Amino acid sequence: MDLKTPLFDLSKFKNVYEPSEDTFLFLDTLEQELQLILSIKPDFVVEVGSGSGVVITALANACKNISFCLATDINSEANSATAFTAKLNNVTIESINMKYLSNFKPNIFDVVLFNPPYVVTESNEIKGTGLNRSWAGGKNGREVIDEFLKLLPNILSYKGVCYMVVIKENKLEDIHNVVVDLGLSCYIVKERKVPGEHLFVLKMYRK
Amino acid sequence: MKLLTHNMLTSKCMKGVTVGYPLKINAFDVKVSEVDFNPEFVSRIIPKLDWNVLYNAAESIGQVEDMPKSIVDDYENNTDFLKKVHRVLLEVEVINGELVCPETGRKFPISNGIPNMLLNEDEV
Ligand SMILES: C[S@@+](CC[C@H](N)C(=O)[O-])C[C@H]1O[C@@H](n2cnc3c(N)ncnc32)[C@H](O)[C@@H]1O
């Protein structure tokens, strides 16, 4: 099944993460997984940290009339960019300024996407709500990832599945153990080496 | 912000808040725009809703029109009912306004359709 790459134009949104290798890997993963995603008939689909909005827009386009799609980001310019991208591609996405999915009722999401800030940085670089939050991941690039993972059991619906981008430096083996300890299954569904980054996409769901 | 989204939002994550639901809506600017009607989707969503919260939210912003106060029997086969629910869930949108925590009164602004739920560190 094909996943249309959305149109986007970030010329009005200077402080928003520009779609990059990780974004495109994520899009390719969703294309690969699309049949499976559609087969669970997701009611509620959400992207955490939607940035430009291209990822959730691509999926919203494939789930038109099947799912209700939402997106959060802590960067308010990203919220506007996501709404703009959705409009440009004629899909409906509810864009919300929020940390993770903190203000949603528990266990409602059937599909959760997150391309997190995964770069290894100093912990004190994780501050504010600007462009730095796109990449600053703190120690082992894991600080935001780990905070998110802890929330995941209270985010996923009984049939929910989460896709998340990570890099080698995030220590995959350890992430796997953390996720399994939370009572979820964790698999690598995509892998790609690009100059400077060894990227993976993980898929997590209830056992 | 659509009323389906409102049905899912809480302020429970705030310090000292026990339920944080439903959030009150102060709507300054409401838009109703046409959205493709999919009866199957609306039927799937109805059992997941907090119906009273939806009804009261619609009423509070003057958008309930003739949607019944309670879910009708055999709604899956009642296109007329599903259309009314569809309108309230997906076509009505708060463009500018605010959401208010029922316990603390904390206001979350909605501007250009985007709610701002971000909390300060001392609020969580
Ligand atoms: C690597 S960028 C990905 C952007 C876009 N999804 C993409 O794939 O191109 C990470 C995004 O997550 C957002 N973000 C970081 N921490 C977040 C948090 N705790 N809650 C919500 N969004 C967050 C950033 O503002 C940024 O837009």
Side-chain angles (χ1 to χ4, degrees):
Chain A
M1 263 192 231
D2 284 351
L3 194 77
K4 226 168 70 188
T5 303
L7 306 169
F8 66 95
D9 171 9
L10 294 182
S11 54
K12 288 201 204 82
F13 307 100
K14 295 294 177 211
N15 293 305
V16 175
Y17 188 74
E18 182 89 38
S20 311
E21 293 286 0
D22 47 341
T23 315
F24 296 114
L25 178 74
F26 212 13
L27 285 170
D28 291 346
T29 307
L30 295 178
E31 178 160 58
Q32 174 187 307
E33 293 282 310
L34 190 55
Q35 202 140 18
L36 196 137
I37 291 173
L38 295 178
S39 76
I40 66 168
K41 283 209 179 183
D43 290 326
F44 299 122
V45 172
V46 72
E47 180 175 20
V48 179
S50 57
S52 63
V54 295
V55 176
I56 187 67
T57 296
L59 194 55
N61 196 34
C63 296
K64 237 181 196 169
N65 292 323
I66 300 173
S67 314
F68 188 63
C69 295
L70 306 105
T72 69
D73 205 296
I74 48 169
N75 174 351
S76 62
E77 223 177 299
N79 306 131
S80 304
T82 295
F84 184 79
T85 302
K87 207 164 180 190
L88 198 62
N89 293 275
N90 209 7
V91 298
T92 301
I93 292 167
E94 287 280 90
S95 188
I96 306 172
N97 193 210
M98 190 189 293
K99 189 175 176 185
Y100 304 112
L101 300 169
S102 317
N103 293 87
F104 284 106
K105 287 182 184 172
N107 303 105
I108 51 176
F109 291 107
D110 303 311
V111 178
V112 179
L113 311 174
F114 193 20
N115 176 8
Y118 52 61
V119 178
V120 179
T121 64
E122 293 295 324
S123 297
N124 62 16
E125 288 182 53
I126 310 177
K127 60 163 191 278
T129 54
L131 189 57
N132 60 310
R133 297 303 300 266
S134 301
W135 62 77
K139 188 166 182 231
N140 297 323
R142 281 281 294 278
E143 294 188 31
V144 176
I145 289 174
D146 283 348
E147 215 173 16
F148 169 73
L149 288 176
K150 256 191 259 160
L151 303 169
L152 197 52
N154 291 313
I155 290 173
L156 291 177
S157 73
Y158 71 95
K159 62 177 179 185
V161 32
C162 172
Y163 295 93
M164 183 173 74
V165 179
V166 294
I167 54 169
K168 194 154 189 224
E169 289 78 357
N170 299 148
K171 303 192 189 303
L172 266 72
E173 190 98 337
D174 187 67
I175 293 184
H176 180 268
N177 293 339
V178 168
V179 175
V180 169
D181 282 347
L182 291 168
L184 305 173
S185 300
C186 180
Y187 295 96
I188 296 170
V189 285
K190 198 104 184 154
E191 178 177 358
R192 185 176 292 165
K193 270 190 181 156
V194 300
E197 260 175 3
H198 191 169
L199 294 155
F200 298 83
V201 180
L202 304 179
K203 173 178 178 175
M204 297 167 280
Y205 51 91
R206 282 183 204 292
K207 285 193 188 127
Chain B
M1 183 203 68
K2 296 177 191 285
L3 294 186
L4 176 49
T5 304
H6 170 261
N7 214 265
M8 303 157 75
L9 288 175
T10 86
S11 54
K12 192 178 188 312
C13 62
M14 288 178 71
K15 198 165 39 187
V17 172
T18 50
V19 183
Y21 187 82
L23 301 173
K24 184 177 177 295
I25 307 175
N26 292 332
F28 309 145
D29 181 10
V30 174
K31 189 178 83 181
V32 184
S33 42
E34 204 177 310
V35 174
D36 289 342
F37 172 55
N38 178 5
E40 205 219 321
F41 175 77
V42 180
S43 297
R44 266 195 287 134
I45 293 302
I46 286 175
K48 295 193 163 189
L49 294 171
D50 189 317
W51 181 267
N52 290 331
V53 168
L54 179 72
Y55 185 89
N56 292 336
E59 192 170 49
S60 77
I61 61 169
Q63 288 294 338
V64 81
E65 288 196 347
D66 49 359
M67 186 175 80
K69 196 160 179 141
S70 37
I71 302 176
V72 303
D73 293 336
D74 197 26
Y75 59 80
E76 293 97 329
N77 301 310
N78 187 335
T79 308
D80 186 50
F81 174 74
L82 294 178
K83 273 197 175 142
K84 288 172 184 164
V85 180
H86 164 80
R87 180 183 168 281
V88 167
L89 281 180
L90 301 171
E91 297 195 326
V92 171
E93 226 172 319
V94 180
I95 305 299
N96 291 299
E98 54 200 19
L99 295 168
V100 187
C101 168
E103 288 164 50
T104 61
R106 163 70 146 93
K107 289 180 176 151
F108 302 96
I110 304 170
S111 49
N112 295 315
I114 301 172
N116 180 351
M117 309 301 295
L118 265 197
L119 295 163
N120 302 322
E121 261 166 44
D122 60 352
E123 291 178 297
V124 288

